[in-house]
Amino acid sequence: MSNEIAAQTIKGKKVLTFGEILLRICPDVDGLWLKENQLPFYVGGAELNVATALALWNIPSTYVSAMPDNSVTRDIEKYLNTKNIDTSQMIFGGDRLGLYYLPKGKDLKNAGVIYDRANSSYANLNVGEINWDQVFEGVTWFHFSAICPAINQAVADVCLEALRVATRLNLTISLDLNYRAKLWKYGKEPIDVLPELAQHCTLIMGNVWAAHKMLGTSLHQDLAHNHGYAKETLLQQAADTSQEIISLFPACKAVANTFRFDKGKGISYYTTIYCDEKLTKSEEYISDEILDKVGSGDCFMAGLIYGFYSKLPVSATLNFATAAAYDKLYIPSDATTSTVADIQKRTIKHD
């Protein structure tokens, strides 16, 4: 594995994730929820999905977000505690919990997602409200995603505040470059915000198109759209993008990319990671039909953290993370419910 990431990661200490806790409301696409008076929901949020997976896989996991203080949110806190997620640093205040609406099987990048997050407790966070030195006590790894600074400038400033403290404390820092066009509505583009945050990050995960949009990396002219390209071309782009990110952001020691393409009702999925000046690629997973796309990328990120935290070799880390992400496509909730053993059974072994 990357010796530099290993040196920063101390087993037994916590992985802390920071992001907005959300309720996902899941109306069916045919409107039956109106006739049957049933509307399924899940507790989620990209960073919470990572925290949930890590706790399930016996990695000490703590989660920081902001919620109003009422009976519903206290029930949510208790629910997270039953999953072995440490919520002792949760911020209670404000008036509402963020929501989003998305039918089962749809993708968060799809036009079908409806966000209801304005003026949530998390969206109203400001610099100086969180004692990051206290929050980071006993922590070895800090994870956040590009969804956080997409909400508004104040939350972007809180992210930078946290990153500066995490850097001073020599924590390993990971960033998921998940792009949500419907969230960037406050006059800034991702390229205006993310590069300053990425300067602090040890591990950056996303895909080559997200890196181009959010970090300004080069993209081959014939890759303007993320479908219909030879695998060899995409792997070369992954290597080029990864090398450019490491060059632009010297704190970064590893870059991971996912490639997920729809095939009718099914999917093809493979990944790469670049570290120690080498590109490692996963096996390709192909399915004729899947159940739920939400949280697959979060599960991949959690798998990477699990592998590096557990000091697994790079190839083993990537294989586990890829299998975990693919496995999540068959689980109807925001976060995985599969154990390490479950995921290992699904892993495609290299020859």
Side-chain angles (χ1 to χ4, degrees), residues 147-164:
I147 292 175
C148 303
I151 296 171
N152 57 44
Q153 186 62 59
V155 175
D157 292 341
V158 172
C159 290
L160 182 58
E161 176 189 40
L163 289 167
R164 286 171 172 165

Side-chain angles (χ1 to χ4, degrees), residues 108-149:
L108 278 172
K109 301 169 189 174
N110 189 282
V113 65
I114 300 169
Y115 289 114
D116 182 13
R117 303 169 68 161
N119 297 314
S120 68
S121 297
Y122 185 85
N124 286 334
L125 284 174
N126 287 289
V127 168
E129 291 184 15
I130 301 174
N131 183 339
W132 288 107
D133 280 287
Q134 175 182 306
V135 167
F136 286 139
E137 287 183 8
V139 169
T140 191
W141 190 304
F142 175 54
H143 173 70
F144 75 113
S145 83
I147 292 175
C148 303

Side-chain angles (χ1 to χ4, degrees), residues 247-260:
S247 175
L248 290 170
F249 308 103
C252 184
K253 308 306 178 188
V255 179
N257 282 288
T258 62
F259 295 94
R260 192 180 79 185

Side-chain angles (χ1 to χ4, degrees), residues 279-332:
L279 183 75
T280 301
K281 64 180 185 297
S282 76
E283 297 291 345
E284 183 172 1
Y285 289 75
I286 299 175
S287 174
D288 293 330
E289 192 165 357
I290 61 172
L291 185 60
D292 198 335
K293 295 178 181 178
V294 174
S296 176
D298 305 327
C299 206
F300 178 69
M301 184 77 246
L304 294 177
I305 297 173
Y306 172 84
F308 283 121
Y309 184 96
S310 303
K311 304 188 186 302
L312 300 180
V314 168
S315 60
T317 294
L318 186 66
N319 286 345
F320 178 83
T322 308
Y326 180 75
D327 178 79
K328 174 62 191 68
L329 297 170
Y330 297 91
I331 298 172

Side-chain angles (χ1 to χ4, degrees), residues 228-239:
Y229 301 103
K231 188 173 182 179
E232 293 75 14
T233 301
L234 295 172
L235 292 175
Q236 183 60 55
Q237 179 68 71

Side-chain angles (χ1 to χ4, degrees), residues 41-282:
F41 71 90
Y42 302 100
V43 178
E47 301 80 14
L48 178 57
N49 296 339
V50 173
T52 301
L54 293 173
L56 179 62
W57 302 336
N58 295 317
I59 302 296
S61 178
T62 186
Y63 175 64
V64 175
S65 189
M67 300 191 291
D69 192 355
N70 57 47
S71 59
V72 171
T73 57
R74 290 296 179 176
D75 283 344
I76 292 173
E77 182 186 33
K78 292 176 185 176
Y79 170 74
L80 298 182
N81 293 159
T82 65
K83 295 183 173 293
N84 294 321
I85 300 170
D86 177 3
T87 59
S88 61
Q89 301 296 332
M90 185 72 70
I91 308 301
F92 285 96
D95 298 322
R96 66 179 303 252
L97 194 66
L99 309 174
Y100 73 98
Y101 301 81
L102 186 70
K104 288 183 180 180
K106 296 294 184 180
D107 193 341
L108 278 172
K109 301 169 189 174
N110 189 282
V113 65
I114 300 169
Y115 289 114
D116 182 13
R117 303 169 68 161
N119 297 314
S120 68
S121 297
Y122 185 85
N124 286 334
L125 284 174
N126 287 289
V127 168
E129 291 184 15
I130 301 174
N131 183 339
W132 288 107
D133 280 287
Q134 175 182 306
V135 167
F136 286 139
E137 287 183 8
V139 169
T140 191
W141 190 304
F142 175 54
H143 173 70
F144 75 113
S145 83
I147 292 175
C148 303
I151 296 171
N152 57 44
Q153 186 62 59
V155 175
D157 292 341
V158 172
C159 290
L160 182 58
E161 176 189 40
L163 289 167
R164 286 171 172 165
V165 177
T167 298
R168 171 165 55 80
L169 296 174
N170 198 34
L171 303 186
T172 302
I173 301 169
S174 54
L175 167 62
D176 182 348
L177 294 175
N178 35 18
Y179 176 63
R180 303 288 183 264
K182 288 189 175 184
L183 290 181
W184 288 91
K185 299 298 183 182
Y186 63 96
K188 294 286 185 71
E189 291 295 324
I191 192 64
D192 300 322
V193 178
L194 266 298
E196 185 176 17
L197 305 181
Q199 289 289 347
H200 297 268
C201 298
T202 321
L203 168 63
I204 295 176
M205 186 275 279
N207 63 54
V208 297
W209 298 276
H212 172 66
K213 185 170 188 65
M214 306 181 96
L215 299 180
T217 54
S218 302
L219 192 65
H220 298 175
Q221 289 185 351
D222 58 347
L223 293 181
H225 304 286
N226 60 344
H227 57 82
Y229 301 103
K231 188 173 182 179
E232 293 75 14
T233 301
L234 295 172
L235 292 175
Q236 183 60 55
Q237 179 68 71
D240 293 345
T241 294
S242 300
Q243 290 169 355
E244 188 173 0
I245 288 174
I246 289 173
S247 175
L248 290 170
F249 308 103
C252 184
K253 308 306 178 188
V255 179
N257 282 288
T258 62
F259 295 94
R260 192 180 79 185
F261 303 113
D262 292 338
K263 291 183 176 294
K265 293 183 178 180
I267 209 162
S268 70
Y269 185 81
Y270 59 93
T271 68
T272 66
I273 191 166
Y274 186 93
C275 61
D276 300 328
E277 300 183 350
K278 177 184 177 183
L279 183 75
T280 301
K281 64 180 185 297
S282 76

